[in-house]
Amino acid sequence: MEETPGGAVAEDVRRRILSMLSSGALRPGSRLGTEREMAEQFAVSRSTLRSALLPLSQAGVLERRTGRAGGTFIRADMVQRNAAEQAGLPARLHSGGHTSDTKVLATDSRPATLAESAALEIPQDTQVFVIRRLRYADGVPLSVDLSCFVAAHAADLLEQPLGGSLYELLRQRYGLQPAGTTETIEVVSASPREAKWLQIAHRKPLLAITRVTRDSAGRPFEFAYDLFRADRVRLTASSNIAGVSPVSATVVPDPA
């Protein structure tokens, strides 16, 4: 039978695996086990398990090995990055020897939605600026980024050049210094519009990262939703002696 992404139960298994990866319970090279072992661990059928693992394999998070020592593993060739790092995407790309470019798709000034007001800890309908951008690595689409900022924190933001690092712009012009982020990662399917922007097939897997960025006073100033092409990025997790860092994802272009 052909494997499919599955339903709610398969989605729950995927989220549990990503949670184990982000917490440090699973690390690059970790063995998840055989199908039978994992089906027992997650208390699901083997067909549901296969549906849960398929998008993670397509996204490059997992790899399956055959033979006596086979099973499903967290990919061992993931690139490590300090989870506390606050560098923007252009800096990450340049440090890896890649070129970067940005196309601004749309900007808007409007009242915050319920989700935005909750994430930014502001009253509902507070004015926000929304910026959607298409990011390129080595001339190829890499991600579609949607960032939402409290308008009162950066009054003329939409009048500024938005093709570079927004964090650098916020730091230099408005004194907003990123001091911490909280990120949630999941695997989603590309919509027709997203597929067109990223030059991939409809329903291809994407790594979706929802992020809240805070300043040194602990005040949230950015709520973002970034969609990365799963065939061009790798998900990594790191921890330190004091404990597991709350930020659990990075994106590194795959030179292939």
Side-chain angles (χ1 to χ4, degrees):
M1 179 179 297
E2 181 182 359
E3 294 178 340
T4 66
V9 176
E11 176 64 22
D12 178 67
V13 173
R14 282 195 290 274
R15 289 176 181 272
R16 290 167 65 184
I17 291 173
L18 288 173
S19 176
M20 293 166 70
L21 179 60
S22 66
S23 71
L26 291 174
R27 300 185 61 80
S30 294
R31 181 178 182 273
L32 290 176
T34 64
E35 271 192 6
R36 179 179 58 80
E37 292 168 342
M38 284 188 289
E40 292 178 356
Q41 176 184 357
F42 294 108
V44 297
S45 69
R46 294 175 69 169
S47 62
T48 297
L49 177 71
R50 286 192 292 270
S51 295
L53 299 183
L54 178 61
L56 297 178
S57 297
Q58 292 174 329
V61 177
L62 305 179
E63 62 178 341
R64 302 187 192 185
R65 304 176 191 170
T66 58
R68 294 184 61 185
T72 300
F73 294 78
I74 304 296
R75 285 189 53 165
D77 60 351
M78 294 180 182
V79 178
Q80 294 292 330
R81 171 183 175 268
N82 185 349
E85 183 178 323
Q86 299 296 324
L89 182 58
R92 294 187 208 170
L93 294 174
H94 294 157
S95 66
H98 302 272
T99 64
S100 68
D101 196 12
T102 298
K103 177 182 179 181
V104 178
L105 297 174
T107 62
D108 194 12
S109 176
R110 56 165 174 75
T113 65
L114 182 60
E116 291 163 352
S117 62
L120 293 168
E121 299 176 7
I122 55 177
Q124 192 174 356
D125 293 337
T126 298
Q127 200 72 8
V128 295
F129 293 144
V130 182
I131 303 169
R132 189 190 301 273
R133 305 188 298 172
L134 180 60
R135 316 300 290 274
Y136 295 83
D138 299 325
V140 179
L142 178 68
S143 68
V144 177
D145 302 349
L146 182 69
S147 295
C148 177
F149 302 96
V150 180
H153 295 169
D156 61 349
L157 177 61
L158 298 188
E159 300 172 19
Q160 305 306 312
L162 303 174
S165 169
L166 292 181
Y167 283 175
E168 188 63 25
L169 174 61
L170 292 167
R171 181 185 297 111
Q172 292 184 357
R173 188 168 182 84
Y174 308 105
L176 291 172
Q177 175 76 34
T181 61
T182 301
E183 294 183 339
T184 301
I185 307 98
E186 57 185 328
V187 178
V188 300
S189 297
S191 70
R193 183 173 66 163
E194 293 158 355
K196 182 178 180 180
W197 282 331
L198 293 169
Q199 299 178 15
I200 57 176
H202 176 212
R203 299 192 63 80
K204 278 288 187 179
L206 301 174
L207 291 181
I209 301 179
T210 303
R211 179 178 64 258
V212 176
T213 305
R214 296 175 180 270
D215 61 18
S216 57
R219 178 184 62 172
F221 68 83
E222 179 199 30
F223 176 54
Y225 182 69
D226 301 340
L227 294 170
F228 289 91
R229 279 179 51 166
D231 62 341
R232 299 211 65 214
V233 299
R234 292 171 184 158
L235 180 69
T236 70
S238 61
S239 61
N240 52 41
I241 296 175
V244 178
S245 173
V247 182
S248 59
T250 185
V251 290
V252 180
D254 187 337

